Amino acid sequence: MKWTLEQTAIIDAKRNLQTRSVAGSGLTETLIAFAKNHRDQRILYVTCTKKDRQTLSKKFKEEGMDNIKVETPCSLARKKLGIKSIYVRSYPFAPYEIVQLLRIKSSDTVKDLRIAHLCGKLLQHFCHSPLPSLKQTRFEKTLYQNGELAFFWKHKAAITGYAQQIITLMQRLEIPILPSFCVKLYEQVKPRLHKDIIIVDDAHHINPCFAAVLNKQAAVKVICGDVNLHQFQGGHVGNLLYHCHYPIKTLSTSFIYNQDIADQTRKVLGMKKLLYENFEAPIIHGTDLSPEIRTLAVIGKQRHTVLSSAMILMTHHKNLGKLYFEGGFKKYLSTDDGVSIYDILFLYIGERSRIQHPFISSFASIEQLEEYAIAVDAEEYLGMIEIVKKHRRGLPDLIRELKRNLIRRKDPKSMADVIYTSLPEAVHQSYDQVNLLDDFMMVQELQDQIINRQSVNYVGLEKEINQLYEACSKARVKLCLPDEFLPDITTESKIEYEPVELGVVDHFNLTGAESALDRQEIIYSLDRQKRAHQNTFSRWSNEDEHSLKELQSQSASVDDMAKQLNRTKSAVTMRLRKINGK
């Protein structure tokens, strides 16, 4: 393999080094080549997931490189602390779990769950911070949601007390412990790794607490990752790269996408200039690739928006072609904490005896569940509730119809006409063409958040930009993200435009025997969208806002508001958020 000058500089490194890379830059292959240059030294290769650990261990074994040990921070911690894997849980504690575990019980179910929700966020914040004590955290600085800070101060003693109880239970191994807490305990024992070289891959996905372990080792350290992808846990922003102050090298060329995609991803990063005046987006180079489109992916920020988009298209088209849902279709029918959309449906239609999940059973009505979801800004629950209310008892039939359009399990996903995926399920994936759904934050909404708020949640806004950047980098050849979504960014500009609601554009006219891409180029047409919604891209006048407020006071649905005002649903939703101060 012919290495670039940037890759060669890393392969030949002799001292501590920090490598900042872009997606598809051949980082892992470069690190393996670096390791091959040091076969006579003891090497620790740290990766972020168990799957990557197993894959790399097998690869090094096949190469006869017995001098390399592959671990994750959590596996290192478990071995040092003597904690068996069965005592480590994969996911954070859900609010209903905390309520049950600590027996939080009052006459107000929503209040109990809100306390548990903030308790869980505080716990995650603490486990990803370098501070040794829960009392030293400044968790309140991360609370920006309407009413969230006031609620925290009112119930601070209870929230911090419950968080401390969970920490104590985890320390005693009376309950399964969080991987992040495992790493935090590991850092506190100040381990010696006895290695000559330590390589850290995908550092942006690794708990920043691990930096304290690395910085105390005598080994040569090579820390690699993307500086524009951070961990956001409990309102805490962290990137291991920022905690390891070593000379910086870059891998700025992506071998998985062309220059057009590179330019668009850089433009997305340029949105950060609205947050930080001195920010400069890094130079990103693309590669000459075949313009042929073989795989098409529709990407949403969250699973419920992906499911909703597929359902909308299903109701408009009898034949969608063959579909594939990244990570498995079943994942898109539940929340991160395992609540099925069917349970929400049963709560809505009053068939409580069919509800299986205890969390949903704890609510007296769909209105109470919605009250909770709004209070804690639980977007996935609000999205699921919206789907349930829209399709009602027809939801199971619609899901069955979608299932009939899925490719067979034994078939490769390349056989699908359209691949649906949420951003978390698209990790390590790339597609020839990517169409983004409209749940990503665009420039106008970002500016509104900054201009119209006294207190700006910079962490939350940077997270939104990073998610959009990550989604854009999944495209290899074509990215359907109109320029109007990312106009030239200056700190003074006040751009007036509305995002196109990608999920409802009539672009899947799939009939006949040919492939979807041969039948019709699957793109999102701004012209078509503008014809469907005549006021799209028009400024909101005072009269428009008055009409919107009137419709809201009449409890009109977003669908009805959009139709009467000749605008997209997403434009109406964004304007409502602005009017209501959310």
Side-chain angles (χ1 to χ4, degrees), residues 334-371:
S334 61
T335 63
D336 285 338
D337 46 8
V339 172
S340 168
I341 195 170
Y342 289 109
D343 282 344
I344 298 175
L345 173 64
F346 296 145
L347 179 66
Y348 178 68
I349 63 179
E351 297 184 11
R352 300 186 60 85
S353 62
R354 301 179 67 182
I355 298 174
Q356 296 184 7
H357 204 287
F359 175 62
I360 300 301
S361 296
S362 67
F363 292 98
S365 65
I366 194 73
E367 288 76 21
Q368 194 179 47
L369 173 60
E370 194 166 15
E371 178 190 350

Side-chain angles (χ1 to χ4, degrees), residues 157-435:
I159 292 166
T160 54
Y162 289 137
Q164 188 59 59
Q165 284 185 51
I166 294 176
I167 289 171
T168 302
L169 290 171
M170 289 195 295
Q171 286 174 325
R172 296 173 180 170
L173 296 183
E174 293 182 18
I175 60 174
I177 71 175
L178 297 169
S180 55
F181 185 65
C182 201
V183 174
K184 193 172 184 71
L185 291 176
Y186 181 57
E187 180 267 325
Q188 291 174 355
V189 302
K190 298 177 173 57
R192 294 290 299 276
L193 295 175
H194 305 290
K195 298 294 181 181
D196 301 312
I197 297 173
I198 300 174
I199 300 170
V200 182
D201 198 354
D202 282 344
H204 50 271
H205 286 312
I206 290 176
N207 188 337
C209 289
F210 193 63
V213 176
L214 293 172
N215 291 330
K216 292 173 183 175
Q217 307 305 314
V220 171
K221 278 91 67 176
V222 179
I223 316 299
C224 310
D226 191 332
V227 77
N228 288 295
L229 294 178
H230 307 323
Q231 286 211 11
F232 295 88
Q233 299 290 348
H236 176 77
V237 57
N239 189 321
L240 191 68
L241 294 166
Y242 288 138
H243 299 273
C244 298
H245 304 293
Y246 310 144
I248 296 172
K249 297 288 185 182
T250 60
L251 290 177
S252 60
T253 300
S254 174
F255 299 101
I256 63 170
Y257 52 69
N258 61 27
Q259 190 58 48
D260 285 342
I261 305 300
D263 292 341
Q264 286 178 296
T265 55
R266 185 169 190 259
K267 203 170 185 181
V268 168
L269 291 177
M271 293 168 69
K272 291 187 181 183
K273 198 167 182 66
L274 292 169
L275 302 178
Y276 314 113
E277 185 177 350
N278 296 324
F279 177 82
E280 291 295 335
I283 299 297
I284 304 175
H285 302 290
T287 306
D288 288 334
L289 298 175
S290 167
E292 186 177 2
I293 304 292
R294 295 182 179 179
T295 55
L296 165 72
V298 174
I299 301 181
K301 189 169 68 175
Q302 299 192 58
R303 291 194 294 264
H304 67 82
T305 55
V306 175
L307 179 64
S308 178
S309 174
M311 287 180 169
I312 289 170
L313 290 167
M314 177 63 71
T315 59
H316 286 79
H317 301 274
K318 298 299 182 183
N319 180 17
L320 282 181
K322 288 298 180 182
L323 308 179
Y324 177 83
F325 282 77
E326 201 76 70
F329 181 66
K330 192 174 180 180
K331 267 193 174 183
Y332 295 79
L333 301 179
S334 61
T335 63
D336 285 338
D337 46 8
V339 172
S340 168
I341 195 170
Y342 289 109
D343 282 344
I344 298 175
L345 173 64
F346 296 145
L347 179 66
Y348 178 68
I349 63 179
E351 297 184 11
R352 300 186 60 85
S353 62
R354 301 179 67 182
I355 298 174
Q356 296 184 7
H357 204 287
F359 175 62
I360 300 301
S361 296
S362 67
F363 292 98
S365 65
I366 194 73
E367 288 76 21
Q368 194 179 47
L369 173 60
E370 194 166 15
E371 178 190 350
Y372 162 77
I374 291 171
V376 302
D377 197 28
E379 290 185 17
E380 60 177 351
Y381 280 102
L382 291 172
M384 290 286 195
I385 291 169
E386 184 179 349
I387 291 172
V388 164
K389 284 185 173 181
K390 181 168 187 175
H391 300 290
R392 304 184 182 186
R393 292 182 182 273
L395 181 62
D397 289 336
L398 197 53
I399 291 173
R400 280 192 289 270
E401 189 64 29
L402 275 175
K403 285 181 177 180
R404 280 194 284 270
N405 282 270
L406 299 179
I407 64 172
R408 295 177 301 177
R409 289 186 180 181
K410 64 180 181 180
D411 292 337
K413 65 181 178 184
S414 58
M415 293 186 64
D417 295 310
V418 183
I419 298 169
Y420 279 98
T421 180
S422 65
L423 191 55
E425 272 65 51
V427 172
H428 301 314
Q429 303 294 328
S430 63
Y431 313 92
D432 294 328
Q433 178 174 326
V434 166
N435 294 349

